[in-house]
Amino acid sequence: MEHEKLVTMANQIARFFLAQGPERAVEQTADHLQKFWDPRMRHQIRQHLASGGDGLDPVARDAVANLPAT
């Protein structure tokens, strides 16, 4: 999957959870990505973040940074 699509999806998830406050949104976004994204998708978004993370909103960026390595 192209990283642009993953960035869009991660940002949408982060915006959904933002109503709970920034800290909780980071936790919930990371939890959602861990539970519902395929391991390959998580790997790709982590690689994108490691390459600078262009386009990731702050909550999505922090959530991806908090994903456990697999």
Side-chain angles (χ1 to χ4, degrees):
M1 182 174 282
E2 294 181 25
H3 75 271
E4 292 91 359
K5 177 80 171 163
L6 294 175
V7 167
T8 298
M9 292 167 57
N11 287 342
Q12 288 172 336
I13 295 163
R15 279 192 293 274
F16 174 80
F17 288 116
L18 195 53
Q20 299 178 14
E23 286 184 27
R24 184 82 173 130
V26 170
E27 293 172 11
Q28 291 298 310
T29 301
D31 184 59
H32 181 93
L33 298 178
Q34 185 64 34
K35 286 181 179 176
F36 299 108
W37 279 27
D38 182 275
R40 294 169 292 186
M41 294 167 67
R42 293 192 306 268
H43 177 74
Q44 287 178 323
I45 199 73
R46 280 195 306 270
Q47 282 187 319
H48 178 69
L49 179 61
S51 298
D54 290 342
L56 282 170
D57 293 341
V59 169
R61 176 182 295 272
D62 290 347
V64 172
N66 286 320
L67 286 174
T70 54

